Amino acid sequence: VAFNYRYAFVLPDKAISTVQEEHAAACEKLGVARCRITGMRYTLVDEDEVRASLEFKLDPALARQFGKDGIAAVTKADGKLVDAAIEGTDVGSQITQSQQRSAGNADEITRLERRLATPGLGDAERAVIRGQIERLRAQQAQERQNRADGEELLANTPMTFSYSGDEGFTLGDNLIGEAWDTTKASFAAMVSFILLAVGTLLPWAVLAGLVLLVWRKVRPKKEAAPATTE
């Protein structure tokens, strides 16, 4: 069975780069034969909000302990594990089935080649047989690739560490910070509403003011017109 490990951590934004480097160093210490870093990302999402990830290929015998050590490093940095997934795929059975298909294809290729060597076959029939042999050989190549991919999964266990800053998360020990964040969010919503209202009503208010100004200038002239005599 080939396993795929995924861990998600939440910890203080300023600690993410340090913990990420610590995890990378732990992998490098094991040597490339037992652990390889296959991907690394660090992103400053906002002014002080960080997202990061680290991907490994590990010796299957070391994977579970490596994950535990990674969790311990995060806990030590005042972070916590928020999600973990270990998924297994029965690669061994897939390899066995692929070998059986390859054996069947090999027998069929042998039979078709013997048929192709039979004297007196027409050109059309020979073309059909050659096409069948080519398709079977292509299937053989694909089966070999599938087995190689399965053997790679069995020999090297993928593991992913995802890091998120504590911005937007509740770690349970920062009530004042959470209250302040809520206040900032409410204030921002209020300002946004006011700006939206002003942006919507201001053009109409300006138009009404212009109409009133024109009306006031025109109305006195009409009232000052001289009365007609009989």
Side-chain angles (χ1 to χ4, degrees), residues 164-194:
S164 297
D166 55 8
E167 184 70 23
F169 289 87
T170 300
L171 295 181
D173 56 357
N174 189 16
L175 298 178
I176 295 177
E178 295 170 16
W180 173 241
D181 290 340
T182 302
T183 301
K184 289 192 296 183
S186 299
F187 181 76
M190 180 184 68
V191 172
S192 299
F193 176 78
I194 293 174

Side-chain angles (χ1 to χ4, degrees), residues 13-203:
D13 293 82
K14 294 181 179 180
I16 288 180
S17 61
T18 301
V19 174
Q20 187 182 41
E21 287 296 332
E22 185 176 343
H23 287 157
C27 177
E28 292 170 350
K29 185 177 180 180
L30 293 173
V32 294
R34 296 190 294 174
C35 184
R36 302 191 309 276
I37 297 174
T38 59
M40 188 173 185
R41 180 179 61 85
Y42 181 94
T43 305
L44 186 63
V45 179
D46 205 343
E47 183 178 353
D48 57 356
E49 186 177 353
V50 176
R51 294 288 183 271
S53 66
L54 195 58
E55 298 174 359
F56 312 92
K57 285 290 184 67
L58 282 155
D59 182 333
L62 304 177
R64 189 164 178 80
Q65 185 59 47
F66 189 87
K68 291 180 179 179
D69 293 341
I71 296 172
V74 170
T75 303
K76 185 178 178 181
D78 296 328
K80 61 190 290 188
L81 175 70
V82 295
D83 186 48
I86 302 175
E87 299 174 351
T89 303
D90 189 2
V91 177
S93 296
Q94 295 176 2
I95 291 176
T96 299
Q97 293 170 5
S98 175
Q99 292 171 336
Q100 293 172 351
R101 288 192 295 269
S102 290
N105 288 339
D107 292 341
E108 182 65 12
I109 289 173
T110 301
R111 186 189 70 80
L112 290 172
E113 288 177 339
R114 288 175 180 171
R115 175 64 178 167
L116 192 63
T118 302
L121 290 180
D123 293 339
E125 186 175 358
R126 288 182 180 276
V128 171
I129 293 175
R130 289 193 182 99
Q132 293 174 340
I133 292 174
E134 290 178 1
R135 285 192 295 273
L136 288 170
R137 285 175 175 166
Q139 292 176 12
Q140 292 290 72
Q142 184 60 53
E143 293 293 348
R144 286 194 295 270
Q145 183 60 51
N146 291 342
R147 291 195 295 273
D149 293 342
E151 291 166 359
E152 166 67 17
L153 289 174
L154 290 173
N156 298 282
T157 297
M159 181 177 293
T160 301
F161 287 170
S162 298
Y163 312 87
S164 297
D166 55 8
E167 184 70 23
F169 289 87
T170 300
L171 295 181
D173 56 357
N174 189 16
L175 298 178
I176 295 177
E178 295 170 16
W180 173 241
D181 290 340
T182 302
T183 301
K184 289 192 296 183
S186 299
F187 181 76
M190 180 184 68
V191 172
S192 299
F193 176 78
I194 293 174
L195 291 176
L196 178 63
V198 170
T200 302
L201 299 177
L202 184 59

